[in-house]
Every structure is written in C-alpha cells, then in structure tokens.
Amino acid sequence: MDLKIQDEIRTQLGYDIAMVLSPAEDIADALKRNYGLAAETLEGISSEGSTGASSLEISAEAVEDIEKLAGDASVIKLVNQIILEGWKKRSTDIHIEPYRGGVHLRYRIDGLLYDANVPPEIKNFLSAIISRIKIMSNLNIVERRLPQDGRAVVRIQEHMLDLRISTIPTPFGESLVIRLLPANMLFSLEKLGLPKKDLQTFEMLIQKPHGVIFVTGPTGSGKTTTLYTCLSRINTRDRKIITIEDPIEYEMSGITQIQVIPEIGLDFARGLRSILRHDPDVIMVGEVRDLETAEIAIRVALTGHLVFSTLHTNDAASGITRLIDIGLEPYLLSSSVEAFIAQRLIRVICSNCKYEDKSAPDELRLEIARESGLAVSEVKVYRGKGCASCNSTGFFGRTAIYEILLLDDEVRSLVVKKTPSHQIKKLAVSKGMRTLRQDGWQKVLSGITTPEEIMKVTSASQESTGEMSVGTGSEPASTIPDAFERRVFIRLDEKVDLRYKMLSLKEGQLRQSFNPEQLSASKNISAGGLVFIADEPLTVGSIVELKIELGPADSIECLAKVIRTEEKEPEKSYDIAVCFLDITSAQRQALSKHVEG
C-alpha cells in the first residue's frame, strides 16, 4: 500500500491502477495462468546461461554435459513443478511432446487431455527435462533411438506416487509420458459406482470357490481397477492370491504379483503354468490375448481355482464370441466361466457447480424415458456450469457404468451351440440384465453425469434394448425385432376402444396437427404399449395422443410413440404399434391389472 510504489507503477505503465488485497496463492495462480507454468524457473535458468540444452540433437559424446545439466537444481525444480502441477490437477498422465519449433505439455484429467500453459522457452530445455526424468527412473540417457520404459517413486506432501515413465523417439526429439499412480490405493466395491443390485451380484461372484470372471472393455475403461477392487475384497490371510500382469499397476500387500517379461520368455501362458505350483486359491491374469492363455485359465478354473481376467470387447456378450473366435472350445467356456462384466468410465458432474438443465431437447428426454420406462415428466437432466474446483470443465472425477452377463443354464446352452452374441444378449436382457446404456441413463437420472457422456461411450445400435424396427411410414416394417419379443410386460390379445390424435414435434414443443381425433380399437395391449388398427399409415417416430377406454368409468390418457407401421393388404388397413411415453405409475398399474385380470 506504499503510495510511492503505486506512483512508480502508474508512471511505468501509463495507466491508472487500483489496489486490492489478494492471497499469495491467487497471485501465483495468476502468474501461472498468464505467463505459463514454471515461467519464473525457465527465466532463471536462461539468465544463468543454461543454454546448452537448446539443441534437440545431442550426441552420445555429450553424456557428461547432459547429466550435469539434468542434475542442475533449476532443471530439477522445473521437472518437480511439472509433476506437482499434474498431481494438483488430478491428472493421471503427463504428456511431453516435441514438434517442429515447439513442445506441448498436456495433462490427462478425467480421461481427456488438456493443454498446459507453458512458456515457449521450454522447447530449449526439452533434452534437459527428458534426461532428468530418465535419471529419476534409471533409464539410459544416451539411448534416444529406441523406446524405453521405467518407473520411479516420489513423495508429494504426505502422498507417495508411483511414476510409470515411457519414452518413444520422434523426428524432433523424444516424446515422454508419465503415468501418475498412487503407491497406496484404497479399493472399495462401494465406490465403483455399482447399483445396489449389481453390488450384490459382484459380492456373490467374487465369493465363488471356482470359475472364471472376465471384465471386458476397451483400453482405459477401468478394468484393472475393478479387478484390484475384487481382489482387495477377498484378500484375507487364509487365501493365497497370485497375479500375473503387464504391467503391475498397483502394489497390494498380501498378494503375490508377477510382472510379465516377454524378452526372457515370461509371458502370461508360461507364468500361469508356474503359478499352479504355488498352490494358489485365487489367480488374476492381466489379459487373455491368445488361445494358450485362455485354455490354461479355463482349465485352472476347472481344477477348483477362482480366476479373474480381462478381454477387449465392446460389450459383455461379445466376450463369448471373442473366446470362441480365438479357438476356445465352447464346452470349456460354458463349463467354467461364471460371468462377463462390461464397463466404461464416465465423468461425474462437479457437485459445486451442478444445476438442472431445463433446456434439454425433448427428443433426448423422450429417448431416456423410453429406455428407462419412465414418464417424460420424470426425466431431469443435470450439467455443470464450470468452476474453480473443476478447472471450468463442469466435471470432477469419474465413475463406471456396468453390464453384467451371468452364465446360467440357458445362456450356457446357447454358448455350446455357438449362438451369435446378439441373441445371447437378447436372452440376458429378457432375464433382467441391464445394458451399459440403460445403466448410464440411470446415472443421468440420478444427476451423476450428463447424457452426452453416456452417448459418447455407448452406442444405441449396439444396445438393442427394445426399439422397434426402423421404417419411414411409406413402406411397411413387416417384422418386430427379436428384442421387442422378450415381452417385458405381459401382452393381452383383446380389443379395447381407444381414440388417437396425431401430434407433431416442432421447435422442441409438442403441437397438435391438423389430423382430427380418430376412433379405433386395439388388437393387443400391455402396460408398455399396444397395437391398434388405423385407416392410414403413421410415420415411425411420430407422437400420438391416446385415450384408452378400459371400462365404463376407467380411461387412460397419455402420449405414445409410433414404433411400427404394418400394412394389412386385404383389409386396406394398418397395424400401428406404439409405446407409451408419459404414462404414470398408477396408470401402468391399472393397465397391468387389466391385462393380468
């Protein structure tokens, strides 16, 4: 608040200034935001004349200079700042990428990469940064032509971090990725994002005395974390648990962990054979990649062991097809595998800036309502505005959505017959299996995530949860897909008087069209939808207003969506199949009572 200093600043800047009080942390954040990460450190290195790292081409003869530069206190501070900033931002990976004329520094936060604001001068110190990190992870700082992998353990405050370092050569220098893993990870089934019913299913599966449990999904979908959580739950003194992994992600006390080393012939198959001589109760195989590993894992399960492993497939049912495709006999698969669990990771809405989005499109609400069996009025969509806690992204942390396919007698019989995966999935859905997208919609309705997150990691065509065949209205869709014939609701072939009125969807609002109200009768009816007779074809996807007369004093009014139009040639009429959209629970119960009575 010194007036002389204020006058000096006004003179130098040529502007009037206002004085405010600010915490030191806010000033540091502002400097980082406007001048870049570690700008002061880079300026200090440059002022000291540390320009020996300005060239990206350093020969093997310059090893001593590289080590001296990498060991310089300023360079150590720069690397520490990069790692510390990544830890503060909750990043799982730090990417240092050289390009022509520059270097990019990026952090992966909640599954997405974000650019870090760094000064352009950082390109002059790429070799020093890479060399310092190589020294930390005991890598060869001379070798710049081949990829290298290493690890290091660092302490940040009271936290221990396990760093996994990987380098690859590029035309403009080495590209480096650091994965940040907590050295002491606390695993809990309750924190995986499982619904209560699925949590009970998990508990039942991991307590089985033998069998194989496969977790499926693409790379980065959280399969390893799920497996570690299962092992942590059953890790007791009376069990011998051995894992074989590539790489070992987390160190777990009380569990024997083996690192795959292909260079010396220690692969999954060889390691698995040796594990059996150590009298294990539970075995985890990092990944089933080939027939040999699959057969050994299956036979191990048949001899009385519980085996956990992973597969790279899009959904749970596809895991069956994948194992048969690599050559595994269906009878072995059906007699040993207990379950396939598919999963995806989704971002969680930040709790500090969460709000209800009342402007969500009606089409989106209709889709969520239809696939969740709810009324449109019950669908609420939430989003995050973006705040300082979530780095203005609107998301903070991640959770998982699951699809659990249990192999009962019916599913096992289909496996032996080599039935296609989509038919197995159809049977599982009819028995109550919730698909990835359905589990995702439940998390949307609970306000955990946004619809866009679910649509990004799941595919509607992949789910086939009960949509009718696609048609244009001008040409008949002659058949109902198998998924609809699973009969979630009991269907009654009965004529019920009803009236219908066509509606149109314009600018997000339902509006009455010029079609007058029509009198008709249903061919069959259920608590989920009905089929009625019409004199004209109705466009698939259009909305109709229904008034259903169940009795003299009992009628139901609701909106419905046309999902099939089938022409009846001799009668010159059309069978119109619709599913209810905004029916209330009381109305659905009344329909169920009418159908069952």
Side-chain angles (χ1 to χ4, degrees):
M1 306 301 290
D2 191 322
L3 291 178
K4 292 183 178 179
I5 294 178
Q6 293 180 29
D7 290 339
E8 183 69 21
I9 294 174
R10 289 190 183 95
T11 302
Q12 296 294 329
L13 295 180
Y15 293 100
D16 194 14
I17 61 173
M19 306 303 294
V20 296
L21 292 175
S22 174
E25 294 81 5
D26 291 349
I27 296 175
D29 288 341
L31 290 171
K32 187 188 305 177
R33 184 169 58 252
N34 291 281
Y35 295 97
L37 173 65
E40 182 182 356
T41 303
L42 288 170
E43 183 179 354
I45 299 174
S46 300
S47 63
E48 293 172 6
S50 300
T51 58
S54 60
S55 173
L56 296 180
E57 296 295 330
I58 301 180
S59 62
E61 289 77 9
V63 174
E64 293 183 1
D65 293 338
I66 292 177
E67 292 193 35
K68 182 179 179 181
L69 182 60
D72 185 270
S74 297
V75 177
I76 293 175
K77 181 180 179 182
L78 175 59
V79 172
N80 290 345
Q81 285 178 318
I82 292 173
I83 297 174
L84 181 62
E85 183 71 10
W87 178 77
K88 288 181 177 179
K89 289 180 176 291
R90 302 178 296 106
S91 65
T92 56
D93 299 89
I94 302 173
H95 295 246
I96 302 174
E97 305 159 324
Y99 297 98
R100 186 184 298 275
V103 174
H104 291 178
L105 175 63
R106 298 195 289 175
Y107 295 112
R108 187 176 294 279
I109 305 170
D110 293 335
L112 296 182
L113 282 171
Y114 296 92
D115 285 317
N117 182 19
V118 293
E121 292 79 17
I122 196 172
K123 66 181 180 181
N124 299 327
F125 304 96
L126 174 66
S127 295
I129 294 171
I130 299 294
S131 298
R132 167 60 187 163
I133 297 173
K134 281 185 175 182
I135 290 173
M136 291 172 59
S137 52
N138 294 319
L139 296 180
N140 187 351
I141 63 174
V142 179
E143 182 56 73
R144 300 172 52 250
R145 302 164 300 170
L146 294 174
Q148 295 188 72
D149 295 302
R151 60 179 296 181
V153 178
V154 298
R155 180 190 295 274
I156 297 180
Q157 298 175 3
E158 71 277 6
H159 300 279
M160 297 293 291
L161 288 183
D162 196 353
L163 308 184
R164 304 297 168 84
I165 289 91
S166 179
T167 68
I168 56 174
T170 74
F172 307 106
E174 288 182 280
S175 179
L176 183 140
V177 174
I178 305 173
R179 170 154 290 188
L180 307 178
L181 297 172
N184 298 314
M185 186 75 170
L186 297 177
F187 299 98
S188 170
L189 278 178
E190 290 76 16
K191 295 182 180 180
L192 287 181
L194 288 162
K196 185 176 181 180
K197 180 181 177 182
D198 290 346
L199 182 60
Q200 294 172 349
T201 303
F202 257 73
E203 292 279 11
M204 177 269 295
L205 287 172
I206 64 178
Q207 296 298 335
K208 285 184 174 291
H210 54 78
V212 186
I213 299 171
F214 283 106
V215 180
T216 74
T219 301
S221 59
K223 301 187 297 297
T224 303
T225 300
T226 299
L227 289 181
Y228 275 118
T229 303
C230 293
L231 294 181
S232 177
R233 176 60 64 95
I234 61 177
N235 183 18
T236 56
R237 298 299 300 171
D238 58 344
R239 282 192 179 98
K240 172 78 169 182
I241 302 176
I242 304 180
T243 72
I244 178 165
E245 310 167 58
D246 184 22
I248 297 173
E249 296 286 350
Y250 302 101
E251 295 180 5
M252 300 186 69
S253 177
I255 295 178
T256 303
Q257 296 174 275
I258 303 172
Q259 169 71 53
V260 169
I261 310 175
E263 294 82 3
I264 62 173
L266 179 56
D267 55 13
F268 283 111
R270 182 172 180 179
L272 197 49
R273 284 193 295 267
S274 301
I275 285 174
L276 291 177
R277 303 188 187 99
H278 286 252
D279 187 29
D281 298 297
V282 181
I283 300 172
M284 187 188 91
V285 184
E287 182 184 352
V288 170
R289 300 176 180 174
D290 50 48
L291 175 60
E292 185 180 10
T293 306
E295 284 186 333
I296 297 174
I298 294 295
R299 296 186 188 280
V300 166
L302 292 174
T303 57
H305 300 83
L306 182 60
V307 180
F308 294 91
S309 191
T310 66
L311 285 171
H312 286 90
T313 60
N314 290 327
D315 61 0
S318 298
I320 298 173
T321 307
R322 174 63 55 83
L323 290 174
I324 294 176
D325 285 345
I326 66 176
L328 190 67
E329 291 294 337
Y331 75 89
L332 285 175
L333 194 158
S334 65
S335 59
S336 59
V337 178
E338 295 293 335
F340 288 91
I341 303 169
Q343 70 176 80
R344 298 288 189 281
L345 289 179
I346 54 172
R347 292 185 293 172
V348 175
I349 300 173
C350 176
S351 58
N352 292 327
C353 57
K354 180 171 141 183
Y355 72 98
E356 183 182 351
D357 182 12
K358 297 184 178 180
S359 63
D362 286 343
E363 293 90 341
L364 179 61
R365 295 178 186 272
L366 288 173
E367 181 180 354
I368 297 175
R370 177 179 56 78
E371 296 192 16
S372 304
L374 299 174
V376 179
S377 58
E378 297 178 275
V379 175
K380 294 183 179 180
V381 175
Y382 297 88
R383 303 187 190 280
K385 292 181 180 179
C387 61
S389 299
C390 59
N391 293 322
S392 300
T393 63
F395 297 95
F396 190 95
R398 288 191 292 178
T399 188
I401 55 176
Y402 292 90
E403 176 180 297
I404 304 176
L405 172 61
L406 299 176
L407 271 69
D408 57 13
D409 292 339
E410 291 184 64
V411 175
R412 294 182 196 278
S413 64
L414 294 182
V415 172
V416 173
K417 297 174 184 177
K418 295 187 178 181
T419 305
S421 61
H422 70 275
Q423 294 186 23
I424 296 176
K425 184 172 185 176
K426 181 189 70 174
L427 174 63
V429 170
S430 69
K431 288 175 167 290
M433 183 185 81
R434 185 156 61 180
T435 64
L436 284 168
R437 176 159 283 208
Q438 288 174 330
D439 190 28
W441 289 145
Q442 290 301 315
K443 286 182 168 55
V444 170
L445 295 171
S446 301
I448 296 174
T449 189
T450 64
E452 290 76 15
E453 284 293 301
I454 304 304
M455 292 186 286
K456 183 172 66 176
V457 298
T458 63
S459 170
S461 60
Q462 157 188 331
E463 299 298 337
S464 67
T465 58
E467 293 186 2
M468 301 301 294
S469 58
V470 179
T472 61
S474 59
E475 57 183 55
S478 59
T479 59
I480 302 176
D482 293 335
F484 189 71
E485 292 183 352
R486 55 185 167 90
R487 301 292 187 238
V488 174
F489 300 104
I490 300 174
R491 186 170 295 275
L492 175 66
D493 292 329
E494 179 191 40
K495 287 189 176 181
V496 176
D497 292 335
L498 60 89
R499 295 179 182 272
Y500 71 92
K501 185 187 299 182
M502 287 293 299
L503 300 173
S504 61
L505 189 63
K506 294 182 179 179
E507 299 176 359
Q509 299 293 328
L510 283 172
R511 298 182 179 181
Q512 183 177 340
S513 66
F514 294 106
N515 299 71
E517 190 177 78
Q518 301 287 332
L519 180 64
S520 182
S522 69
K523 295 186 66 176
N524 54 57
I525 187 171
S526 75
L530 56 83
V531 177
F532 67 90
I533 304 170
D535 296 329
E536 58 178 349
L538 303 185
T539 305
V540 173
S542 60
I543 308 299
V544 295
E545 182 181 351
L546 294 178
K547 184 176 182 181
I548 307 168
E549 303 291 347
L550 295 181
D554 192 5
S555 64
I556 292 177
E557 296 183 12
C558 66
L559 297 178
K561 182 178 181 180
V562 177
I563 50 182
R564 178 171 62 93
T565 298
E566 185 175 356
E567 184 177 4
K568 298 299 182 182
E569 193 63 38
E571 298 89 356
K572 293 294 182 182
S573 62
Y574 299 86
D575 284 353
I576 309 297
V578 300
C579 64
F580 302 135
L581 293 179
D582 63 340
I583 190 170
T584 64
S585 300
Q587 291 173 332
R588 200 182 296 278
Q589 290 177 1
L591 280 170
S592 297
K593 185 177 179 181
H594 176 81
V595 171
E596 294 172 0

